[in-house]
């Protein structure tokens, strides 16, 4: 048995499979609700994926549009992750409290996949840092302390949000394995962290080459954006 949590729960395999499938579907479609795309397409009437990096994430939205609607994007990415994990917690709790941790990781994984590869938006989503960070916060305070602490430290010191994001993606599986000592939980944490690292592979190459853009709190002007695109191509954002 890969997971001692499943073994200790002593739940019928059929019910476990049905519950896991339901949580996966709900979590994935919650993840598919991309605030940056919804706000830009249906409120601003200007798809964020047509600007800057083309990424459907928070950073590209902020750099392109700025303004108070950025808070709506942040809220949507946070709320969908919270709902996915809470739904999984409720379903697992009805079967066995011992399954809660396992189902939280399961829901987090599918919510993140939905955010990154949403079927509702041609599988063009964001990089999952805000949703992923929310998922981390809902797991264990020790995991959150290491992942978020390293993220904030690196992002503040270097102004490379992508560097902090990679720290979070790399540290999450190690801390999950350390805290829970469960093979299946660790495997799902590896998938979650691996997805974040995979989405940031181009950022890492640009950091090494000294071409990565540093985060700034001011929105880029249209002249700056045009100059950047003509000079070095479209950058990839951190979120």
């Amino acid at each position: 048995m890969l997971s001692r949590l499943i073994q200790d729960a002593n739940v019928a395999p059929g019910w476990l499979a049905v519950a896991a499938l339901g949580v996966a579907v709900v979590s994935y479609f919650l993840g598919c609700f991309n605030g940056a795309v919804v706000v830009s397409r249906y409120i601003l009437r200007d798809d964020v994926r047509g600007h800057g990096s083309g990424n459907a994430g928070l950073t590209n939205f902020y750099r392109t549009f700025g303004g108070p609607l950025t808070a709506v994007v942040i809220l949507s990415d946070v709320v969908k992750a919270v709902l996915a994990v809470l739904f999984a917690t409720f379903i697992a709790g009805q079967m066995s409290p011992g399954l809660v941790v396992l189902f939280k990781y399961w829901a987090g994984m599918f919510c993140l996949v939905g955010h990154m590869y949403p079927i509702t938006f041609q599988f063009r989503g964001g990089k999952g840092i805000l949703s992923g960070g929310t998922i981390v916060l809902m797991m264990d305070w020790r995991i959150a302390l290491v992942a978020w602490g390293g993220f904030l430290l690196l992002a503040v010191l270097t102004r490379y949000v992508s560097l902090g994001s990679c720290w979070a993606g790399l540290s999450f599986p190690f801390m999950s394995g350390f805290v829970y000592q469960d093979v299946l939980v660790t495997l799902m944490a590896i998938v979650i962290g691996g997805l974040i690292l995979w989405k940031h592979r181009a950022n890492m190459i640009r950091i090494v080459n000294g071409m990565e853009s540093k985060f700034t709190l001011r929105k880029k002007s249209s002249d700056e954006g045009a100059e950047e695109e003509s000079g070095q191509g479209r950058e990839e954002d951190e979120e």
Side-chain angles (χ1 to χ4, degrees), residues 17-44:
V18 169
L21 179 61
V23 168
V25 171
V26 170
S27 299
Y28 174 79
F29 280 101
L30 280 171
C32 286
F33 185 87
N34 189 295
V37 177
V38 171
V39 171
S40 62
R41 283 183 66 176
Y42 302 111
I43 297 179
L44 299 175

Side-chain angles (χ1 to χ4, degrees), residues 136-155:
V136 170
L137 286 172
M138 298 185 73
M139 296 304 174
D140 184 276
W141 69 269
R142 292 164 291 183
I143 300 173
L145 180 64
V146 173
W148 269 101
F151 170 85
L152 292 172
L153 185 64
L154 288 171

Side-chain angles (χ1 to χ4, degrees), residues 182-219:
D182 185 84
V183 175
L184 196 52
V185 166
T186 304
L187 287 175
M188 287 188 288
I190 289 172
V191 172
I192 292 171
L195 283 169
I196 291 173
L197 292 172
W198 173 255
K199 278 288 191 174
H200 287 82
R201 63 195 185 281
N203 299 87
M204 291 298 98
I205 293 173
R206 279 193 302 278
I207 286 178
V208 172
N209 293 332
M211 298 174 62
E212 178 77 340
S213 295
K214 293 187 176 183
F215 183 76
T216 177
L217 288 177
R218 67 184 182 89
K219 184 174 79 75

Side-chain angles (χ1 to χ4, degrees), residues 11 21 34 41 62 66 68 75 92 95-96 98 111 115 119 121 126 155 174 197 199:
V11 175
L21 179 61
N34 189 295
R41 283 183 66 176
Y62 175 76
L75 187 63
M95 296 186 295
S96 171
C111 183
H115 178 81
I119 192 173
F121 297 114
F174 286 99
L197 292 172
K199 278 288 191 174

Side-chain angles (χ1 to χ4, degrees), residues 24-43 48-49 56-58 61 69-84 110-128 130-132 134 239:
V25 171
V26 170
S27 299
Y28 174 79
F29 280 101
L30 280 171
C32 286
F33 185 87
N34 189 295
V37 177
V38 171
V39 171
S40 62
R41 283 183 66 176
Y42 302 111
I43 297 179
V48 68
R49 293 173 297 177
L58 172 64
F61 183 93
L69 286 176
T70 302
V72 178
V73 177
I74 294 172
L75 187 63
S76 67
D77 283 354
V78 170
V79 168
K80 68 186 183 185
V82 170
L83 289 176
F110 277 94
C111 183
L112 199 62
V113 171
H115 178 81
M116 293 177 175
Y117 304 103
I119 192 173
T120 50
F121 297 114
Q122 300 82 45
F123 299 100
R124 294 172 59 198
K127 295 189 176 182
L130 195 54
S131 294
T134 303
E239 164 48 25

